[in-house]
Amino acid sequence: MRYFISSIILFAAVATFAAKAPTHHSLRAESMGNAHVAVVDDKDAIYYNYAGLSQINRLGNFEKRPEQGYYPRNYIDARISVGGAGPFETYFSTYDLAKDLQDMYNNARDAAVANGLTTNAVLMDSLSSHPELVHKINSYDHKYLSMKLKLDAELAFHGFGGAIWFDGTINPYLDGGVILPFLVVDTLVIDGVVQAGGGFSITDNISVGAGLKAAKREKVRMITVDVMNYNAVKDTLEDRYHDITDDVFNGSTISFGMDLGVLYQLTREVRLGASLNDIYFKELAGDKITPNFSVGVNYSPKFFNRNTAYARKFNVAFDYANAFFSERNYKPFSHMNFGMEVEQTLLAWPGLNNEIRALSLRLSGGFKGGYPSAGVGLELLRFITLEFATWSEELGYYTGQDEERIYMVQASLGF
């Protein structure tokens, strides 16, 4: 194990680059602060630590692993999911600011008509007489309205897992301007990833995992939209749409990579994990990718877990995540994730040890890079899952400077 971890660190030291890889948002993980490297007991092992695939049909299985039997047991994880997210607080505050600015422009126009002046002249006089209006415009400038969409198809069982997933992010921002408000599409990024791998138990306590992936990234450059250039922007968007669709099947723009991971069952209740993910062998759409090296610990107290028909799972986890990413002057606290979750079966068929779970509830909370996170998941008949999670991303140069809170909902079908 020591040699394996040393090899991971050595490889990462020579492979540190400059940008983040495509990011899959697991709502279970995000809701508990994204502390998941040592949790990985279901399909999310595909994204966080392939070694966790060895835990499927191992945790909760008294016959094969009696010392780890007090968990809800999963035989297979197969899901199709769709989700969307956005900073809704920013949406609402931006709407209020937009109304105020609209009132200001309307008042200036009416005053200009009444006094035979130009609207611009009235605006300038108003701004010089009322500096609080300048402050309001400044607060409106660069108001980001980012949106996220995701689509996943996943399959995992003991020792193997794979997924096809897409993640789209658009980051437009509004600028109030002094004369003419406008909208800027700062970045539009669509990531598509196909990945698969396996996890293998070397001993009863040590598991390793590895996986391969192929990723494709499409990006749209900055576009400025205002009432004066709407038609030109429309034509530009159509041209870029055709460029993207023509490039979808261009194999030369696909980047290949690999993921590595290890798990160590320290005690019955404590599990340690380490992973080195996103080791890409070439640039992705012009971006040099920084590998994601993370280490973590998970604590699952035996007294709180049950593997009866009314099963209960309880986890407390801590990660030091994405250790080699230092963009925007990241501080050590920015890499620290902490969270906990409790999952309880509420309706079941007694005596069947989780084979028939009619209703299961999961509650989670934590801190991701210093910002609080929370979430709830509801599983119906082991086939329909509805999830909600909220967490924050840092837009500034250090933790606490410019928080953007994300709210994401997701629906999944599968078993």
Side-chain angles (χ1 to χ4, degrees):
M1 177 183 175
R2 183 179 303 172
Y3 174 78
F4 183 78
I5 295 177
S6 299
S7 300
I8 289 178
I9 295 174
L10 178 62
F11 186 92
V14 299
T16 301
F17 300 120
K20 279 189 174 182
T23 301
H24 179 273
H25 295 287
S26 161
L27 269 64
R28 178 190 175 193
E30 294 284 5
S31 63
M32 58 184 300
N34 217 34
H36 220 64
V37 174
V39 178
V40 287
D41 55 10
D42 62 6
K43 61 181 176 55
D44 286 339
I46 299 170
Y47 312 110
Y48 290 90
N49 188 345
Y50 272 107
L53 293 171
S54 65
Q55 304 297 307
I56 299 177
N57 198 28
R58 177 180 181 182
L59 298 179
N61 190 332
F62 279 98
E63 295 178 358
K64 295 182 178 180
R65 299 290 296 182
E67 75 280 10
Q68 293 184 334
Y70 295 95
Y71 291 86
R73 180 179 175 186
N74 291 319
Y75 300 91
I76 188 172
D77 232 336
R79 301 277 177 177
I80 296 177
S81 307
V82 61
F88 291 101
E89 292 173 345
T90 304
Y91 295 165
F92 295 140
S93 65
T94 300
Y95 174 74
D96 292 337
L97 284 170
K99 287 178 59 181
D100 292 342
L101 280 176
Q102 185 180 35
D103 291 341
M104 184 183 72
Y105 286 117
N106 288 338
N107 292 337
R109 181 195 59 200
D110 295 341
V113 171
N115 295 280
L117 302 172
T118 64
T119 302
N120 291 348
V122 175
L123 276 175
M124 292 302 179
D125 290 340
S126 298
L127 293 175
S128 62
S129 303
H130 300 279
E132 71 276 7
L133 296 178
V134 177
H135 175 74
K136 187 177 290 292
I137 290 178
N138 289 337
S139 66
Y140 189 70
D141 289 351
H142 276 67
K143 198 73 173 180
Y144 277 91
L145 302 171
S146 62
M147 292 164 277
K148 299 177 184 291
L149 293 173
K150 67 190 294 279
L151 177 65
D152 315 323
E154 307 155 320
L155 171 65
F157 50 85
H158 182 75
F160 176 82
I164 301 174
W165 57 275
F166 299 89
D167 183 88
T169 302
I170 182 171
N171 292 310
Y173 67 82
L174 294 171
D175 196 318
V178 176
I179 305 302
L180 185 66
F182 57 88
L183 170 70
V184 178
V185 178
D186 190 354
T187 54
L188 171 59
V189 179
I190 301 175
D191 291 323
V193 180
V194 178
Q195 60 183 105
F200 174 73
S201 298
I202 298 178
T203 69
D204 288 344
N205 296 325
I206 300 176
S207 298
V208 296
L212 298 175
K213 61 176 62 174
K216 191 175 181 66
R217 171 171 287 173
E218 297 290 349
K219 297 192 297 185
V220 173
R221 296 183 299 275
M222 181 180 292
I223 301 174
T224 301
V225 184
D226 59 45
V227 294
M228 304 299 293
N229 71 343
Y230 172 75
N231 290 330
V233 169
K234 181 180 177 182
D235 294 338
T236 300
L237 289 175
E238 289 180 353
D239 292 340
R240 292 184 183 177
Y241 167 78
H242 291 301
D243 291 342
I244 290 175
T245 54
D246 293 342
D247 188 52
V248 167
F249 299 104
N250 183 358
S252 64
T253 61
I254 297 175
S255 182
F256 296 92
M258 65 183 300
D259 302 324
L260 304 171
V262 60
L263 282 179
Y264 179 61
Q265 196 74 39
L266 183 63
T267 69
R268 162 62 183 80
E269 299 177 321
V270 178
R271 188 161 60 246
L272 307 177
S275 66
L276 179 62
N277 294 335
D278 304 323
I279 309 169
Y280 283 94
F281 305 125
K282 70 173 186 177
E283 293 183 351
L284 185 61
D287 294 329
K288 292 184 177 181
I289 301 301
T290 301
N292 181 348
F293 178 65
S294 301
V295 294
V297 58
N298 180 60
Y299 173 61
S300 300
K302 180 178 178 180
F303 72 88
F304 209 76
N305 289 281
R306 294 291 182 272
N307 193 41
T308 62
Y310 295 95
R312 185 189 308 124
K313 177 192 295 183
F314 182 75
N315 289 312
V316 180
F318 172 83
D319 284 5
Y320 190 86
N322 216 358
F324 300 124
F325 186 74
S326 58
E327 186 179 289
R328 297 198 302 266
N329 197 27
Y330 259 37
K331 305 300 183 184
F333 193 65
S334 305
H335 300 278
M336 295 182 184
N337 299 333
F338 168 80
M340 62 180 63
E341 66 174 0
V342 58
E343 179 182 310
Q344 176 68 58
T345 301
L346 303 177
L347 294 175
W349 192 275
L352 290 183
N353 293 327
N354 296 314
E355 280 83 350
I356 300 180
R357 295 202 303 260
L359 181 64
S360 182
L361 175 67
R362 185 183 70 248
L363 299 175
S364 310
F367 292 88
K368 179 182 179 180
Y371 291 120
S373 63
V376 59
L378 193 66
E379 182 188 71
L380 307 174
L381 300 175
R382 299 199 70 177
F383 183 72
I384 301 173
T385 303
L386 303 175
E387 296 175 274
F388 167 80
T390 177
W391 69 94
S392 289
E393 304 286 352
E394 180 56 61
L395 298 181
Y397 290 90
Y398 54 85
T399 299
Q401 182 187 31
D402 189 5
E403 174 188 5
E404 179 184 62
R405 178 149 294 277
I406 303 297
Y407 300 88
M408 177 171 276
V409 294
Q410 176 177 283
S412 304
L413 297 178
F415 51 88

